[in-house]
Amino acid sequence: MAEAAVQTRFRVTGMDCAGCAAKVDTAVRRLPGIVDVEVSPTAGAMTLRHTATLDLAAVHRRVRDLGYGVAPLTATPPAASPAGHDHDHHHDHAASDGPWWRSGKAQLALACALALALAYALGHLLPAAAPSLFLAAMLLGLVPIAWRAGMAARAGAPFTIEMLMTVAAVGAVVIGAGEEAAVVVLLFLVGELLEGVAAGRARASIRSLGSLVPSTAFLEEAGRVREVPAAELTVGDVIRVRPGDRIPADGVIVAGESGIDESPVTGESVPVRKGIGAAVFAGTVNGDAALGIRVTAAAVDNTIARIVRLVEEAQERKAPTARFIERFARWYTPAVVVVATLVAILPPLLAGAAWQAWLYKGLAILLIGCPCALVISTPAAIAASLSAGARRGLLLKGGAVLENLGRITAVAFDKTGTLTRGRPELTDTIGFAAEPSAVLRLAAALETGSSHPLAKAVLARAAHDGITLPAVGEARAIAGKGIAGRVDGSELFLGSPPAAAELAPLTPEQARRMASLHDQGKTVAVLVVDGVAAGALAMRDEPRADARLGLRRLNAAGIRTLMLTGDNERAAMAIGRDLGIEVHAELLPEAKQRIVGGLQERGLKVAKVGDGINDAPALAMADIGIAMGGGTDVALETADAAVLHGRVADVAAMIDLSKRTMTNIRQNVALALGLKGLFLLTTVAGITGLWPAILADTGATVLVTLNALRLLRPSVEAARA
C-alpha cells in the first residue's frame, strides 16, 4: 500500500524571481521521499508533499546550500533568518523584507560599482594595470554568481542564468574583453536588484494585510483590564476595544453596540452597526462606542491570517500557462546554449571567420537566451492579480482559477443569501381599521422575544422607527396559524391571511391586496384586533443593493445569467422580474446540477455562485464554484473562489480581473520574446554586444515585472463598484 503523503510548508527568504524558484524546486524535488513541490517566489513560500520518512533537515540543507534562508512556515511571517543563513556561500539573495538598500543584493551591486569606478580611475593613471583592475572588479561580483551556479548545477539545475552569466564573463576575459565583462557583471547585479525591488512590491501588497491587526489587545480578567500581545489571545478570552481602535481578534460582541468599519476585510465602504451576539473580524475598526468581545479564533486562525495564508497558497498553484512556459523553458535554455555554441564555432570553422568576433557573439547570445523574463511573465501577473483581488475581498484559489474565470460564458446564482440579502425585511405596512404605525406597534409587541426571521424583520423596523412597544399579556403561539396576546385590554392575533380570515373575514378589496403582495413574492401577516382585521404586514427577502448592477455588468460582457433556487416559483419569479434574470425555481440539488451540466453540454463555461455549503453538487459540477460570504470559514475554505463581502457586482469584477490578467500575460510574453529576438538579430549582425545582451535579459525581466504590477491598481470598473 502506498504511503500517505504529508504536507509541510516553509518560508524561503531571498527568492525574487522565477529562476530562484526553479532552482529550489529542482534541488528539493531530487530528495528521496518528495512527492511534489510547489514554490512561489512572490509569496516567498514552498509547499512540499512528502512521505513521513522525509528528512526535513536535508531539505533545510539543500535550500541553504543554494544560498536561501528557510524556516517552517507559520501563519505570521517569521523574522528574517540570521545573517549566517541568508549569506551562506557568498550568496547575495538576502531577505527583502527591509529597505531595499540594506539588502545583500544592493550592497553587492554598490561594492561592484565602486570597484568598477575605481578600476576606471586607476586605469587612466596606470594603463598597464587596467586589465588586472577590471578583472578584480569583475571577480568581486562574479564569484558569488559563480558559486550559485555551481550549487545549482550540483543540485540538478545546470542551465541557470548564473551559469550562463559565469560562462559569458569568463569567456569575455579570455578573448580580451575584461572591461566589458566587468560592466556586464555590474549590469546583471543591478538588474537582479531591480527584480528584487519589483518582486518585493508584489509580496508586500498581500503581506501588508497582516499589519491591519494591532499588535496588542486589552484583556479583561477578574474585573481588571490589562494590555497583552494580540498573538497571545486564546479562544474564550474577553477583550475591550475602545472607539477608533482596530479589533485585534475575530470574536463575538458580548457588551456594547457600535458601527464597525469592515472595509479592510470585506471592502464594504459603509460601517455596519453591530451589537451583542454579532460577529466581528480582526483588523476591522471599532466606531463610536467601547465594545466587549469574546475571542473566537486565535491569532494564527483569524480572518486576516487566513486570507494571507490562502492567497499565498494560491500563488503556489501554478496556472496552466505558467506550467506550459516552464516546460518550454526547460527545452528553450539548452537550445539557446546549442545555438550560441554553433554561432561561436561554425562561421570560423566553415567560412574562416575571425574566432574572436564570433566567440564574442556566441557569448552575447548566451546572455540573451536566459528565460528569466519569459518564465516570470505569468507568475508575476498571477501574483499581482491574486493580491489585488484579496485586497478587494475577492479570493481566487490559484492561477488556474484566475485563468478560467475569464473564459466563463454563463453564471448561475443561488437566490437566498446570494442575489438576496438572506433575511426577510418588512416592505409594506398596511392599515385597514387602524393606522399603519399602530399596526406595526401592536405586531412588534406580539413578536417581542421571538427569534423567527419574520419576527426579527418586524422588530427591526419598529426599532428603526423608534416605536415604543407596549407590554403583552397572555402571549401564546397557535400552532400552524400565528401568535396571540392581549395589549391594552384588546385581544390580538397575528398570522397568515387564511388563519386571520377565520377570526375576521377579509373584504374582497383586502383579499385582492393580499393576493397582489403574494404575487410580488412577499410573505403576508394579518393583524386582527378584537375580531376586526386592523391591517397587514408584508415581508420579503430583498435583492442585494448591487444585484441589478452586478447582473447588468455580466450581461454587458456577453455572459448569460440565471437563477437556480429551491424556493417557490412565485417568490423566485418576483425577484427574477425585479432583477431581470432568467429563473429556474423549486429545484432540488440534483436538478440544479443537471441544469449546470446541460449548459456545459451546450458549450458554455459555467460559474456557480452560492453559499459554499448548499447546492454542493452544482458547485462541484460547475467549471468555477464561487462562494458568497462575509469572511466566514465557508466562504474562505469552499469552492474555487470566494466573494468575502457578498456583492454580486464582484462576480463581474472577478471575471474582469481574469481578463485583464490574461491580457497582461500576453503582453509580458510578447515583451520578453520580442526583446530577445531583437537583440539576437542585432548581436548576430554585429550591432550590439555583451552589455546590451544582459540588458535584454535583466531589462526585460524588470519590465515584465513592472507591467505585471500594474494589475495591483484597481480597474475602472472596480473603482466604480
Side-chain angles (χ1 to χ4, degrees), residues 115 118 159 193 214 233 264 447 518 533 563 613 646 653 696:
L118 186 63
F159 295 106
L193 175 61
L233 294 174
E447 296 284 20
H518 279 125
M563 178 200 299
I613 297 178

Side-chain angles (χ1 to χ4, degrees), residues 196-222:
V197 172
R201 280 192 59 196
R203 184 154 48 234
S205 93
I206 184 61
R207 295 249 188 109
S208 64
L209 281 172
S211 65
L212 295 174
V213 180
S215 59
T216 62
F218 292 98
L219 178 65
E220 292 186 357
E221 284 182 326

Side-chain angles (χ1 to χ4, degrees), residues 17 32 47 83 131-132 196 233 269 302 308 361 389 395 453 474 505 623 655 674:
C17 64
T47 299
S132 298
L233 294 174
S269 58
N302 69 39
V308 172
K361 292 178 181 179
L395 283 185
E474 303 176 24
D623 296 282
I655 294 173

